Amino acid sequence: MNEDLLFNAAPGGPPRYSHLSHKPVQYLAVADRHGQVIGYAWANDADDAAGWVIRKAGGDKAFNEGSVWAIKLHDAKARGIAPSVALAEMIQESDPTKSSHVVSGSLTEAANADVVRRLANPEYG
């Protein structure tokens, strides 16, 4: 009972986009059915990076509704598509009658993923 536990990383698991990019990223805003932004999806093909950033100010509701968008990114990576294509699919498949949707015309560029994180949560920076 006094021995240290050893944890060895096991290979495998589902494929994931990198969550880091210091290069320019594309991003889009996602809103709830009332038009309140709940988070942002971002992507950078050069780093094979993408992520979902929840607006913490949206609370549990934003977290719950936002999980769908994180899953969309995981599924896109599993299908082997580029991060920017994943964003394009999000836009194309977005439905404003659902609990959350892509804000029309919100696709834009930021200097890097940290800019998007600060946009979602100003206290991040």
Side-chain angles (χ1 to χ4, degrees):
M1 297 299 271
N2 294 329
E3 294 180 27
D4 289 338
L5 293 176
L6 299 176
F7 293 97
N8 297 316
R16 300 278 192 242
Y17 294 118
S18 173
H19 67 279
L20 300 173
S21 182
H22 299 291
K23 298 175 183 166
V25 299
Q26 292 181 306
Y27 73 94
L28 51 82
V30 174
D32 65 16
R33 86 178 42 175
H34 305 292
Q36 291 287 92
V37 174
I38 61 169
Y40 300 88
W42 62 267
N44 173 282
D45 289 346
D47 289 333
D48 194 36
W52 167 253
V53 183
I54 189 166
R55 284 191 66 239
K56 292 178 186 172
D60 292 341
K61 182 179 177 200
F63 179 83
N64 292 334
E65 291 177 3
S67 64
V68 170
W69 301 92
I71 291 168
K72 287 179 184 283
L73 288 174
H74 297 315
D75 291 347
K77 178 60 177 176
R79 290 184 287 125
I81 65 172
S84 64
V85 175
L87 290 188
E89 284 184 355
M90 289 178 174
I91 293 168
Q92 183 178 11
E93 296 170 1
S94 182
D95 181 351
T97 66
K98 300 288 185 186
S99 61
S100 60
H101 63 279
V102 173
V103 175
S104 180
S106 68
L107 183 66
T108 191
E109 191 170 294
N112 55 54
D114 283 342
V115 171
V116 180
R117 290 182 184 102
R118 282 191 300 277
L119 176 65
N121 301 295
E123 70 279 3
Y124 175 79

